[in-house]
Amino acid sequence: MIHSPLTKSLKPSSLFFVLLVVGLSCFAALTQAEEPMIIYNEDNDHFYNLPPECMTREYVERYFNNYADTKITDYFLCLNGQVASFDSKTLQTVWDEIDQYENPSRWMANAKLLHDRGVDFYAVGVERCRANGISPWISIRMNDVHCVGVKPRHFRTTRHYEEHPELWRVPDAVEKKISDWNAYAYNYSRKEVRDYYLALVQEVLERYDMDGLELDWMRFGYHLTPGKEREEAVFLTEFVRQARVLTNEASEKRGHPVQLAVRIPQTVETALGLGMDGITWAKEGLIDVMTVSTFLSADFNTPIQQWKDELGDAATTVKIVPATDNGIYSYAQRRVYTDAALVYGWANTMYWQGANAFYLFNYPYTAGDNPGLGTWQMLTTGLSRETVLRAQRRHPVSLRDFVLYGMSSECQLPKKTDTNLKFSVQIGQKPDRGRAHVCLAFTEGENLNETAIRLKLNGHETPMVTDILYSPTDCFGEKIARAVSFEFSHEQLIDGINEITLEATEFPQELVWVEIRCGY
């Protein structure tokens, strides 16, 4: 019995009720505390590609209110590429040259339509997110180079970019006929570039009452003179330092903290090698959130612990967040949209590697626009450890899609089965019950359907092999001619990296996908 002045005055039935309420409140608080930070990035054109009738304040409000019952904690609203999707005083707007196009893109037309109606998509987004208990942030793409280097100039690029090739990373990229977009990126070693984007930072901080600002250095990831990125890293650090001054000023003006986040490459080596010194930024107290990110893929091997070790004490004050895009590459020519099971699998491996927060990039295109993938349901159930561990999970062979030139992407596919093969698959924490399955997918080959396939999982062999007949293209990508599944006990899995070995086949086949499934 609990004894206090309060309990002594209560009847047993009343005391039970009080204890029940207190217990449920504690349980609710504990459950809430276990829900991780989920960052959801809305890019600069997704909304504007909806039908024109959606370009009203009422629809914009409804659009954001849809997320009220999800587990998203932080909504990052990206408002620019090289052009702005709002009436910026710093950047050229996406609709600025609309009269020059006989058939303007829907993005151009809708952005202008919404603006002409006096609706600021981002201001409404900030307002509705905050009203719905979701923290609103603004995200700035620091060097977007979509569609550069073409004539006539694409609507996604600006007059400023075209008129100032001396500010590009490779000023004579046109003369050299370089097709790589990154050659045309702005060079932050030039003060004019830093001043240009710092003016944008100041503009959005003055315009929007945000909880935080993200500097997205991963759209795109090259910002300095080719070959001099390490020595010129000081210029990016100085920029982040100045941005921090501006967010501090905004905090004082708004009367609440305005945090600063950065999105940089997922590995320490690539980030430092390209001049994005997140370690220094964190140790100097310049940032609050550091997102370590792929470019266009999910990767199940993000070295969170290495980042924590490098940050030292700063890792206790700076949130390190792994990011995933809405698809995954098994190799450069095979990208598959991530369904809910792939996201749960990715989250489980991130927990195992030390993460306690997650960043979802490009997910409005799949969670809202492609309900068959189940990612909207994933947003409503969340990514707590308990939820992830009891969910159906897929753990495929993945690669690193953004690394320094010369560094390995750790790509394991595709492979010919004319020799014995070995694959490493990260699954994070293994399940404590049920069955596991190893799934393989092949493209068309000689006698493929009659080919005998034998494999081992961590040294264990199974005769259980079943052809997967349901939606192999959805699961594994296009032109899949055969997909097979091998069944194992969960006890034959190990935490972390699992090893799959495949015997050479009589008729060599093209293997393009390998994964481990749990909870099916």
Side-chain angles (χ1 to χ4, degrees):
M1 177 66 70
I2 300 174
H3 295 285
S4 73
L6 174 63
T7 58
K8 286 180 180 179
S9 65
L10 293 174
K11 296 180 180 179
S13 59
S14 300
L15 177 59
F16 173 77
F17 177 75
V18 170
L19 293 176
L20 177 63
V21 171
V22 171
L24 290 175
S25 299
C26 291
F27 176 76
L30 179 62
T31 302
Q32 186 176 17
E34 290 177 346
E35 292 292 341
M37 179 185 196
I38 298 179
I39 299 172
Y40 191 75
N41 182 292
E42 173 86 31
D43 79 358
N44 53 326
D45 68 304
H46 170 262
F47 178 82
Y48 299 104
N49 285 303
L50 296 176
E53 53 267 29
C54 298
M55 299 301 118
T56 65
R57 182 181 179 91
E58 292 73 22
Y59 191 90
V60 174
E61 290 181 348
R62 190 158 71 247
Y63 180 83
F64 286 104
N65 287 342
N66 283 336
Y67 292 97
D69 295 326
T70 69
K71 299 295 185 180
I72 295 169
T73 61
D74 298 75
Y75 205 118
F76 281 32
L77 292 124
C78 172
L79 42 59
N80 74 292
Q82 199 177 94
V83 294
S85 293
F86 70 106
D87 59 328
S88 172
K89 304 301 185 291
T90 306
L91 300 184
Q92 180 179 322
T93 66
V94 67
W95 66 84
D96 185 66
E97 298 175 336
I98 192 170
D99 293 339
Q100 299 179 20
Y101 292 84
E102 183 177 349
N103 296 300
S105 74
R106 180 176 279 189
W107 178 10
M108 297 176 80
N110 280 346
K112 184 178 188 301
L113 178 60
L114 201 63
H115 168 68
D116 290 346
R117 289 174 172 173
V119 182
D120 186 328
F121 175 77
Y122 305 98
V124 176
V126 167
E127 172 196 324
R128 297 318 307 156
C129 284
R130 185 170 284 130
N132 292 324
I134 299 172
S135 181
W137 293 59
I138 295 294
S139 175
I140 295 178
R141 292 188 173 188
M142 304 309 298
N143 219 342
D144 194 289
V145 287
H146 276 103
C147 307
V148 295
V150 297
K151 295 287 186 179
R153 180 169 54 80
H154 196 277
F155 79 87
R156 297 182 68 144
T157 63
T158 65
R159 292 184 299 274
H160 182 273
Y161 139 80
E162 185 176 52
E163 293 167 358
H164 294 282
E166 76 278 6
L167 302 181
W168 301 349
R169 294 180 66 241
V170 182
D172 57 350
V174 171
E175 290 78 5
K176 291 181 176 178
K177 298 181 179 179
I178 298 176
S179 60
D180 182 358
W181 285 355
N182 293 300
Y184 301 85
Y186 283 115
N187 189 336
Y188 273 77
S189 72
R190 298 294 299 264
K191 185 176 185 299
E192 302 97 313
V193 172
R194 300 196 300 277
D195 289 346
Y196 183 61
Y197 277 96
L198 201 64
L200 179 62
V201 169
Q202 186 163 10
E203 178 184 8
V204 300
L205 285 169
E206 291 174 353
R207 180 170 179 141
Y208 299 108
D209 183 14
M210 66 193 79
D211 285 352
L213 175 72
E214 179 189 48
L215 307 179
D216 186 354
W217 297 105
M218 286 299 291
R219 278 298 180 270
F220 284 44
Y222 297 87
H223 312 287
L224 299 164
T225 307
K228 296 183 178 180
E229 289 91 349
R230 282 184 180 270
E231 63 189 85
E232 292 180 350
V234 293
F235 296 116
L236 297 188
T237 296
E238 180 56 29
F239 186 95
V240 175
R241 196 175 285 127
Q242 291 176 294
R244 183 60 161 192
V245 170
L246 293 176
T247 58
N248 287 344
E249 291 174 355
S251 298
E252 293 183 13
K253 174 185 175 182
R254 301 290 184 183
H256 63 75
V258 178
Q259 298 185 76
L260 186 62
V262 293
R263 191 165 76 106
I264 61 175
Q266 76 179 116
T267 67
V268 173
E269 296 80 9
T270 298
L272 296 181
L274 292 176
M276 290 169 269
D277 190 356
I279 296 168
T280 294
W281 304 346
K283 289 183 175 180
E284 285 193 18
L286 303 179
I287 58 176
D288 303 289
V289 177
M290 183 172 71
T291 300
V292 292
S293 181
T294 57
F295 184 75
L296 202 61
S297 181
D299 183 13
F300 285 56
N301 291 286
T302 297
I304 301 297
Q305 191 56 52
Q306 183 186 3
W307 279 108
K308 289 184 175 182
D309 293 343
E310 293 285 351
L311 265 60
D313 292 342
T316 62
T317 57
V318 175
K319 179 80 77 172
I320 303 171
V321 185
T324 180
D325 208 290
N326 67 2
I328 180 169
Y329 285 101
S330 62
Y331 57 97
Q333 289 75 40
R334 182 165 297 275
R335 187 177 191 267
V336 174
Y337 278 124
T338 48
D339 59 15
L342 282 169
V343 179
Y344 288 131
W346 173 77
N348 189 51
T349 65
M350 294 302 102
Y351 274 126
W352 177 254
Q353 292 168 89
N356 59 1
F358 307 97
Y359 188 121
L360 304 177
F361 191 84
N362 271 335
Y363 272 78
Y365 290 96
T366 51
D369 299 353
N370 195 340
L373 293 170
T375 46
W376 182 263
Q377 182 182 359
M378 174 271 299
L379 292 177
T380 61
T381 56
L383 295 173
S384 70
R385 288 179 186 268
E386 180 183 2
T387 298
V388 166
L389 284 172
R390 71 168 183 258
Q392 293 182 337
R393 305 192 304 278
R394 298 173 61 191
H395 301 276
V397 164
S398 60
L399 56 79
R400 288 183 173 160
D401 71 345
F402 191 86
V403 295
L404 283 173
Y405 291 121
M407 274 186 63
S408 171
S409 65
E410 302 184 9
C411 183
Q412 302 181 63
L413 291 167
K415 289 287 174 63
K416 282 285 188 185
T417 62
D418 54 355
T419 185
N420 293 343
L421 300 173
K422 181 167 67 175
F423 300 95
S424 297
V425 183
Q426 171 67 259
I427 70 163
Q429 182 178 340
K430 71 174 185 177
D432 60 2
R433 68 196 70 180
R435 313 297 295 174
H437 297 85
V438 174
C439 300
L440 310 177
F442 302 86
T443 53
E444 191 66 57
E446 181 184 1
N447 295 322
L448 174 60
N449 291 328
E450 292 76 38
T451 296
I453 304 167
R454 296 182 63 185
L455 66 72
K456 293 181 180 180
L457 171 64
N458 300 319
H460 303 284
E461 189 170 7
T462 177
M464 298 294 293
V465 57
T466 306
D467 275 80
I468 299 174
L469 302 178
Y470 56 91
S471 304
T473 297
D474 294 339
C475 292
F476 312 121
E478 297 181 350
K479 298 181 180 179
I480 297 299
R482 188 186 183 193
V484 295
S485 174
F486 296 80
E487 184 174 294
F488 294 88
S489 164
H490 72 276
E491 296 175 341
Q492 293 169 317
L493 294 169
I494 61 175
D495 291 330
I497 300 290
N498 287 251
E499 186 176 277
I500 296 169
T501 54
L502 179 67
E503 289 188 9
T505 58
E506 180 181 359
F507 298 97
Q509 306 298 333
E510 182 86 352
L511 178 62
V512 296
W513 192 274
V514 177
E515 74 174 49
I516 294 175
R517 293 185 174 185
C518 304
Y520 282 80

